[in-house]
Amino acid sequence: MNANPHHGSAVTVRRAIDSLVPYSTGRDPETVRYDSGFTGDIVKLASNEGAEGPFPEARRAIEQSLEAAQRYPTAGARALSAALADYHGVGPEQVLVAAGGCAVLHHLVSALLEEHDEVAFCSPTFHLYRLEALRAGAGVATAPLAKDGAYDLAALESRITERTKLVYVCTPNNPTGGVVSRDALRRFLERVPSHVLPVIDEAYFEFVDSPEYPEPWRVQAPADRPVVIMRTFSKVYGLAGLRVGYALAPPAIVRACQKVQNPYEVNCLAQVAALASLRCPEELARRVKANQCARTRLFEGLKVLGLKPLPSQANFVCVEVGSAMKVARALEAHGIIVRPLDAMGDAHSIRITVGTEREVDAFLGALASVLELLRGDAREA
Ligand SMILES: *Cc1c(COP(=O)(O)O)cnc(C)c1O
């Protein structure tokens, strides 16, 4: 037996995987500290995590459940599924709990996509839709976004073919923050052919204040129109590191996904933390409000700097800055991490997570110096 891990292997990697580049998660504080030489506190506004940590009630639930970590968690996250079903007024057989929305998207693809199938979405959007399809060896069709950064559902509909199996609607869209209106979504769902399953990614729905937004989720679809709604505890609930999200879906789709899921996928601490968070509507409302204030501050601050940010309904703002990579690297020298959108197909824009008001101010101060410096460089060149 050759157990040398450095030795080349004759085992081949699946052809669909071989040329893929792993999902790029943005720069982490340690790397940035090392590369930039910055020694102060790093402000990370790159991955749209909540501006605050777990809810106080979630922290308490985690502490109380530490001892239970000796045992395997309940398979299928039974208590959490039941609570989510109650919360949304659906049956527990319509709830899929998974290790984050990313896992929901992964299970849908594993359970549904064959190699000759296609998925459709607007671009730029959440990069995982593309990656998951390519992993499965399936095809990808994209349509442009509308000018305001929302999904253009008419353009998207035109990309649906006989081969399309999944069509994604990300609303608010990551990275632009635009939302589709209730009427546009209802019309779209009425027109999508029955061989296509719409997946509505609502990772940021809590942050929306537009009255045009299609809440509650059930009004979106004609009663007999199967859809999947994906949501997560990673954003407003501050649990990104624990990995827990869910989908509301037809029972047959939930069952199919459970067949490809790991039996103990969602750890016990994530389960109790999510459950406790769901029971705190006041804390949720407070955080949504705080995000709206900080988001306005960020948006207005960008305008003062002469930029044209896209109006956002989420906890991030997208803005064109010229060379996004250059600006992002220069911000790192000030200890600020944002996301240049190169990987999402836009080399000119950055996406800034809203963060706290203090973080917004730190970012705006740093950006002002960076833009001045770069304009100076351009004048000299
Ligand atoms: C953050 C995010 C998700 C889910 O993230 P998880 O941490 O895996 O729950 C899904 N879709 C979009 C668009 C996101 O931004």
Side-chain angles (χ1 to χ4, degrees):
M1 192 176 93
N2 185 346
N4 179 354
H6 303 296
H7 200 276
S9 171
V11 175
T12 54
V13 171
R14 278 180 52 227
R15 205 160 358 123
I17 303 294
D18 214 17
S19 59
L20 287 186
V21 181
Y23 180 80
S24 129
T25 53
R27 306 252 296 164
D28 65 273
E30 274 77 279
T31 312
V32 167
R33 217 185 292 278
Y34 182 84
D35 286 355
S36 69
F38 182 82
T39 52
D41 283 342
I42 299 271
V43 174
K44 184 169 181 279
L45 302 175
S47 299
N48 298 345
E49 292 122 332
E52 299 174 68
F55 284 17
E57 290 80 355
R59 289 172 204 258
R60 269 197 294 284
I62 290 168
E63 278 161 20
Q64 283 164 8
S65 298
L66 264 186
E67 193 58 32
Q70 180 192 2
R71 306 289 174 198
Y72 285 110
T74 54
R78 212 169 300 114
L80 179 56
S81 295
L84 286 166
D86 264 4
Y87 191 82
H88 293 289
V90 299
E93 71 285 357
Q94 288 168 271
V95 181
L96 174 73
V97 176
C102 293
V104 167
L105 299 173
H106 182 72
H107 299 333
L108 284 169
V109 164
S110 307
L112 300 176
L113 276 199
E114 315 262 11
E115 295 214 349
H116 51 79
D117 290 334
E118 268 182 17
V119 306
F121 48 83
C122 287
S123 178
T125 193
F126 194 40
H127 190 51
L128 212 52
Y129 309 154
R130 176 186 299 277
L131 255 189
E132 284 291 352
L134 297 181
R135 277 175 192 160
V140 167
T142 63
L145 292 173
K147 273 204 177 43
D148 62 356
Y151 261 49
D152 180 339
L153 295 181
L156 183 56
E157 189 191 332
S158 76
R159 306 311 314 268
I160 292 176
T161 68
E162 287 295 304
R163 290 173 57 192
T164 310
K165 178 76 88 47
L166 298 174
V167 62
Y168 296 92
V169 178
C170 190
T171 179
N173 183 45
N174 178 4
T176 47
V179 295
V180 296
S181 74
R182 186 184 290 120
D183 288 346
L185 187 57
R186 190 188 291 120
R187 269 197 309 278
F188 177 74
L189 292 175
E190 278 164 4
R191 295 167 61 101
V192 171
S194 61
H195 68 277
V196 182
L197 182 66
V199 178
I200 304 180
D201 184 335
E202 292 192 315
Y204 302 97
F205 87 98
E206 293 95 344
F207 298 113
V208 174
D209 48 24
S210 161
E212 270 300 291
Y213 192 72
E215 263 275 298
W217 71 276
R218 272 164 303 154
V219 307
Q220 290 169 358
D224 55 348
R225 190 347 132 191
V227 296
V228 175
I229 313 272
M230 189 231 85
R231 291 181 172 179
T232 178
F233 288 93
S234 294
K235 307 287 158 57
V236 74
Y237 291 106
L239 296 175
L242 281 186
R243 314 303 304 127
V244 52
Y246 63 99
L248 306 174
I253 302 291
V254 172
R255 271 198 307 281
C257 289
Q258 285 166 340
K259 291 179 193 174
V260 297
Q261 198 170 27
N262 293 325
Y264 304 116
E265 183 177 287
V266 183
N267 72 73
C268 60
L269 301 182
Q271 291 188 31
V272 295
L275 195 55
S277 305
L278 265 189
R279 296 180 176 144
C280 305
E282 301 83 13
E283 176 67 5
L284 176 65
R286 186 187 68 74
R287 290 186 183 208
V288 167
K289 192 121 200 247
N291 179 71
Q292 281 162 1
C293 293
R295 181 173 71 198
T296 303
R297 195 178 182 94
L298 174 57
F299 185 82
E300 296 301 327
L302 288 166
K303 287 208 302 202
V304 167
L305 292 176
L307 301 172
K308 296 197 182 76
L310 288 173
S312 168
Q313 287 284 303
N315 69 336
F316 52 82
V317 173
C318 181
V319 65
E320 242 185 76
V321 290
S323 168
M325 197 56 93
K326 220 182 226 176
V327 169
R329 287 292 176 273
L331 283 169
E332 288 180 0
H334 295 259
I336 312 260
I337 316 179
V338 299
R339 182 72 73 94
L341 298 183
D342 298 63
M344 299 187 219
D346 176 355
H348 303 293
S349 301
I350 56 172
R351 187 195 65 198
I352 310 109
T353 304
V354 167
T356 62
E357 295 212 340
R358 225 178 32 134
E359 289 171 331
V360 167
D361 290 346
F363 162 77
L364 288 170
L367 184 63
S369 347
V370 163
L371 291 178
E372 195 161 331
L373 194 76
L374 292 178
R375 278 169 194 151
D377 284 357
R379 268 196 298 278
E380 273 164 40

